[in-house]
Amino acid sequence: MSLDRTKLPATLYTAEQSRALDRTAIEQFGIPGFKLMQRAGHAAFVVLQERWSDLERLTLLCGGGNNGGDGFVMAVLAKTRGIDVQVICLGDDGFADRLRGEALEAWRWMLEQNIDVEYYRPGMPFTGDVVVDAMLGTGLGGEVRGSARQAIDQLNRSGKPVLAVDIPSGLCTDTGSVLGSAVCADCTVTFIGVKQGLLTHEAVDHVGQLYFDNLKLPEEVYEQVPVNAFRTSRSDREELLPGRARSAHKGTNGRVLIVGGDLGMGGAALMAAEATARTGAGLITLATRPEHVPAALVRIPEVMTHGISSAGQLEPMLKNADVIVVGPGLGQGAWGQAMLQRILATDNPLVVDADALNLICQWDVERFSRDNWILTPHPGEAGRLLDSPVSDLQEDRFLAIERLQRACGGTVVLKGAGSLVTDGDALYLCDKGNPGMATGGMGDVLSGIIGALWAQGLRTVDAARMGVYLHAMAADRVAEYQGERGMVATDLITALPHVINGQ
């Protein structure tokens, strides 16, 4: 059976962990490093042929490390199949003198095949129908400069299709940040372990279709190296959301209270409530401004809606709630402040979103820190929670969510491209979703989904990560039949039952 390179594993690694996997395979399991390089070059070449089956000319941009060595292997494979090969190296006549280890072996092997080499000059033509990016790899530690920067910028301007080897050059392996400039690839073939930075932040604009090959490493290799994060997947959904017992009733499927919807923002609370219902919560109560009750009765008659003007009116609802979702449309005025202060005084499990987060930022995050809440900030709200510029936070989202969890306790969702979830013990990433989600109301729908899953008995961190996953999958389903542009938050609500039930 051939390897399905489009199927990504659940485990994600940092650059150092990836190097540890490589060393373990070589030193403890006796797999020659050059053999691994040949396997990597072959895996990338297979993808190249699958995507561009009529390829006649190929340009390979190669650096002086192991990433370049993978490119040398691909050059040999291409020539043996009758493809015209142009190998361009980042350097000068002394390039070969700086090669070491497996990269040097691959270089010598390539020269034995009588493959000519050129050295990069700004503006020189890339003659290939497709360009292979084998320049910088995972070892990049600082901003791209010099000829590498010039080659990356020229490649991006060329408009030619690009296959990146292991990681697009210029992209940070650990964070997904662009280090000055990065290759925009049509596809990326990564090896041994999926690097966490390939799936979040700016990486989503540079990686293209991601392929993976484990290079035939034995499972025992992976047992020697810790995992940094996990990718939530379809199998997690099947495990965490099994079929319901035939004897189930509304009382066994969780009671959720949604509090929000100040004047002019009633739609946010309504969307959260409807998403809660569509995610399967048994009993849902909405506490909102009295002015929004008629709209709620029309939009979501299944939800018990109460118009409240003061926090004291919340009392009977607080006692019956398994989970409280607070924040959608809450506002930051006197009404919203009173509601949130009363809710924070309870011991109820809380999903905290939107203006509830903004109010907590104004008060004192650490004073309200607790174990039984799920916070769902977008980068702007996260920046306010940490009192840090959003740009700094986005530069290392993995570090940012760890800081958030330490400061706030509980479970934290850091929304964005490649949303992250952690409870302080395990870290999860969602690689689903699309740009159509960049519209108002999406976070309100997400908070309702998470509240419903939590109330149905999922562990706190599982409710958060599965909520993020289902939310993103619903958006992807909507995009399939109507496209991304013009997607609105309520579109996801209709799609939710389909993705929850695996349809």
Side-chain angles (χ1 to χ4, degrees):
M1 180 181 295
S2 62
L3 176 67
D4 181 2
R5 291 178 176 83
T6 64
K7 187 174 181 180
L8 302 181
T11 49
L12 304 176
Y13 298 92
T14 64
E16 179 52 41
Q17 289 168 336
S18 298
R19 287 190 285 270
L21 287 169
D22 197 64
R23 287 195 304 270
T24 300
I26 295 170
E27 297 171 5
Q28 296 186 32
F29 290 82
I31 304 174
F34 185 52
K35 176 63 71 175
L36 291 177
M37 183 170 284
Q38 288 178 309
R39 291 176 184 175
H42 180 266
F45 189 74
V46 168
V47 173
L48 183 76
Q49 288 192 302
E50 288 175 351
R51 289 186 63 106
W52 296 283
S53 57
D54 58 349
L55 183 65
E56 295 180 356
R57 299 183 301 276
L58 179 66
T59 294
L60 301 104
L61 290 170
C62 300
N66 282 353
N67 198 242
D70 296 337
F72 303 151
V73 171
M74 291 183 70
V76 173
L77 295 174
K79 183 176 181 182
T80 60
R81 286 160 177 79
I83 298 171
D84 183 64
V85 173
Q86 179 192 33
V87 177
I88 301 175
C89 295
L90 299 181
D92 50 30
D93 291 339
F95 177 83
D97 296 333
R98 294 188 290 273
L99 295 175
R100 297 290 184 272
E102 294 83 17
L104 180 58
E105 286 188 68
W107 169 265
R108 290 169 174 165
W109 185 46
M110 180 181 68
L111 295 185
E112 289 172 2
Q113 311 306 313
N114 297 314
I115 294 176
D116 293 329
V117 173
E118 302 175 65
Y119 297 102
Y120 178 74
R121 303 180 312 278
M124 68 184 299
F126 299 155
T127 60
D129 304 314
V130 176
V131 180
V132 170
D133 164 28
M135 289 183 279
L136 298 178
T138 62
L140 184 63
E143 189 167 302
V144 181
R145 294 184 173 86
S147 61
R149 176 71 173 262
Q150 293 171 317
I152 289 171
D153 291 343
Q154 181 179 338
L155 178 56
N156 287 341
R157 291 193 304 268
S158 72
K160 290 180 178 287
V162 177
L163 180 148
V165 177
D166 210 17
I167 188 169
S169 293
L171 201 64
C172 178
T173 307
D174 291 348
T175 68
S177 296
V178 171
L179 299 174
S181 184
V183 168
C184 293
D186 294 86
C187 65
T188 299
V189 189
T190 198
F191 315 113
I192 297 182
V194 176
K195 290 73 182 171
Q196 63 184 32
L198 290 169
L199 299 173
T200 191
H201 192 32
E202 294 173 298
V204 300
D205 292 322
H206 292 264
V207 169
Q209 173 68 50
L210 181 60
Y211 297 85
F212 170 74
D213 195 301
N214 66 5
L215 306 188
K216 301 179 182 178
L217 262 61
E219 189 61 36
E220 291 78 7
V221 171
Y222 295 94
E223 295 173 357
Q224 306 299 314
V225 178
V227 175
N228 199 60
F230 298 89
R231 189 180 62 86
T232 304
S233 66
R234 183 183 299 271
S235 62
D236 294 312
R237 185 203 63 196
E238 294 168 353
E239 176 187 348
L240 297 174
L241 297 173
R244 283 180 168 173
R246 307 319 299 169
S247 59
H249 56 82
K250 61 186 179 183
T252 61
N253 290 325
R255 296 173 170 84
V256 180
L257 169 63
I258 293 109
V259 182
D262 199 355
L263 296 177
M265 297 180 285
L270 267 61
M271 285 188 286
E274 188 172 5
T276 304
R278 288 294 185 182
T279 310
L283 291 164
I284 305 153
T285 301
L286 171 61
T288 188
R289 282 280 197 175
E291 290 85 349
H292 300 142
V293 172
L297 293 175
V298 172
R299 176 78 190 188
I300 40 174
E302 301 87 352
V303 172
M304 295 172 284
T305 303
H306 298 269
I308 58 172
S309 301
S310 66
Q313 294 174 281
L314 282 174
E315 295 303 326
M317 292 174 258
L318 297 174
K319 296 176 183 176
N320 295 323
D322 296 318
V323 174
I324 300 172
V325 176
V326 59
L330 186 69
Q332 298 181 49
W335 184 84
Q337 291 186 45
M339 299 301 155
L340 181 58
Q341 286 172 341
R342 179 64 193 92
I343 289 168
L344 290 174
T346 73
D347 294 326
N348 297 69
L350 307 178
V351 178
V352 184
D353 185 40
D355 279 327
L357 292 170
N358 291 322
L359 286 171
I360 289 172
C361 294
Q362 297 173 24
W363 296 340
D364 183 355
V365 175
E366 294 184 1
R367 180 164 68 91
F368 295 106
S369 176
R370 57 197 288 168
D371 293 331
N372 66 335
W373 66 1
I374 299 173
L375 308 183
T376 61
H378 58 56
E381 292 158 347
R384 288 189 284 276
L385 285 166
L386 291 174
D387 194 24
S388 298
V390 174
S391 57
D392 291 353
L393 178 149
Q394 287 285 76
E395 283 302 305
D396 191 339
R397 288 167 52 82
F398 295 91
L399 176 61
I401 195 170
E402 291 174 2
R403 290 178 58 204
L404 279 166
Q405 198 283 328
R406 287 196 299 269
C408 303
T411 294
V412 178
V413 176
L414 179 56
K415 295 183 287 195
S419 291
L420 302 175
V421 179
T422 188
D423 61 351
D425 292 326
L427 178 60
Y428 299 93
L429 183 148
C430 177
D431 64 340
K432 305 300 181 184
N434 62 76
M437 301 171 75
T439 61
M442 290 290 174
D444 305 312
V445 171
L446 175 61
S447 63
I449 297 170
I450 292 174
L453 294 173
W454 202 2
Q456 289 174 75
L458 271 68
R459 292 191 313 135
T460 308
V461 71
D462 289 336
R465 69 186 182 100
M466 187 50 51
V468 169
Y469 177 80
L470 294 174
H471 183 249
M473 286 295 291
D476 286 346
R477 186 179 181 92
V478 171
E480 286 177 8
Y481 64 80
Q482 73 174 41
E484 295 174 355
R485 196 181 301 272
M487 184 185 301
V488 296
T490 49
D491 292 335
L492 273 62
I493 296 173
T494 304
L496 273 172
H498 299 283
V499 298
I500 291 170
N501 293 299
Q503 299 174 355

